[in-house]
Amino acid sequence: MITKCLFPAAGYGTRFLPATKAMPKEMLPILTKPLIQYGVEEAHDAGCDVMAIITGRGKRAITDHFDISYELEHQIKGSDKESLLTDIRKLMNECTFTYTRQNEMKGLGDAIYKGKVLVGESAPFAVILADDLCVNDSGDGVMTQMVKLYEKYKCSIVAIMEVPKDQVHKYGVISGREIEKGIFMLDDMVEKPDNDKAPSNLAIIGRYILTPDIFEIIENTKPGKNGELQITDALLTQAKNGMVLGYKFKGKRFDCGSMDGFVEATNYFYNMEKSQKSKK
Ligand code: UTP
């Protein structure tokens, strides 16, 4: 059973400056909901009830978001605005939120390693990068799809998607053998390769299921690209020692860490909301 989900959220979000100067990137809203709430909802739908968040300096708004706001709630009690807090209240009632800090931005591998105290070493856990916003209109959410796959293969899994060849340098890129339609047994992973040196155009996005032996592997992984501890490097070791799968998920992913992705996501959710309202 996968019951814990880790949210590395210690990054500076420099692409969104000055908006992210005093506000965490994960709190940027798509319509009325911050990015991290979409991620928590996806994890909750997949069966997780412990949300383990890796924060950093200046990220207090995340902690406050998943807590009671007495004055505000008292103020709107009995008004038609009360219903606007129904979803977040449900998450707060049904999940436990735990936090630890990554003091220095040393890479995603390091951020995940910091989560060891929160998720423990006895069970697999999910990882969601909240700035990758994923939706699937026609069925299970992406993390639910991955949890189902985990039940079959019991190994670490990364979500992958095809990206244009001139974009691969922005991602961790995989190669592997397709063992089922859309499921690859990975034999190589390269973090942010040059476009002409990438092993494929299958890019890793911000959804992972990791088995806990990853922590010991991270301990023995040296800093890689840009001097950061890369989770891709640790996953490659894990793949060589055993098995790691790449899963071509069903649904859409918006890169909300970039301006284009953020605007696309906003338009997408706005149109969805409008069409739902017009049906009522
Ligand atoms: P990004 O590189 O996309 O986020 O990391 P960033 O650094 O905040 O954004 P820019 O590039 O400066 O605009 C992907 C995810 O990994 C987390 C980030 O918070 C983000 O969710 N992360 C990355 C950490 O928590 N710690 C790190 O050391 C690195």
Side-chain angles (χ1 to χ4, degrees), residues 24-119:
K25 170 168 79 171
E26 297 74 15
M27 288 301 292
L28 290 171
I30 299 295
L31 306 191
T32 54
K33 243 192 286 182
L35 285 169
I36 191 143
Q37 190 176 332
Y38 287 93
V40 167
E41 285 174 355
E42 184 185 330
H44 188 235
D45 287 345
C48 295
D49 60 4
V50 174
M51 306 298 164
I53 304 179
I54 312 297
T55 66
R57 282 179 293 285
K59 301 270 184 173
R60 255 199 56 191
I62 298 178
T63 325
D64 289 340
H65 185 68
F66 295 108
D67 200 352
I68 294 170
S69 173
Y70 281 106
E71 270 179 40
L72 169 75
E73 291 181 35
H74 175 74
Q75 190 72 31
I76 62 174
K77 201 169 169 51
S79 79
D80 56 358
K81 302 250 169 56
E82 212 177 352
S83 64
L84 299 175
L85 294 180
T86 308
D87 289 353
I88 178 85
R89 265 293 192 178
K90 184 173 184 307
L91 290 177
M92 283 160 53
N93 289 338
E94 294 177 9
C95 305
T96 303
F97 292 84
T98 62
Y99 300 89
T100 191
R101 278 192 180 202
Q102 184 191 24
N103 312 106
E104 282 179 89
M105 273 267 289
K106 288 186 184 166
L108 183 56
D110 179 68
I112 290 174
Y113 188 76
K114 292 283 181 299
K116 184 167 89 164
V117 289
L118 303 179
V119 297

Side-chain angles (χ1 to χ4, degrees), residues 112-157:
I112 290 174
Y113 188 76
K114 292 283 181 299
K116 184 167 89 164
V117 289
L118 303 179
V119 297
E121 286 179 272
S122 57
F125 56 95
V127 179
I128 289 184
L129 305 185
D131 49 352
D132 268 347
L133 178 47
C134 293
V135 284
N136 182 21
D137 298 337
S138 53
D140 288 339
V142 175
M143 191 48 78
T144 304
Q145 297 168 36
M146 292 174 74
V147 166
K148 286 185 176 166
L149 191 63
Y150 176 81
E151 279 157 14
K152 180 165 176 194
Y153 286 98
K154 305 268 190 263
C155 67
S156 289
I157 303 170

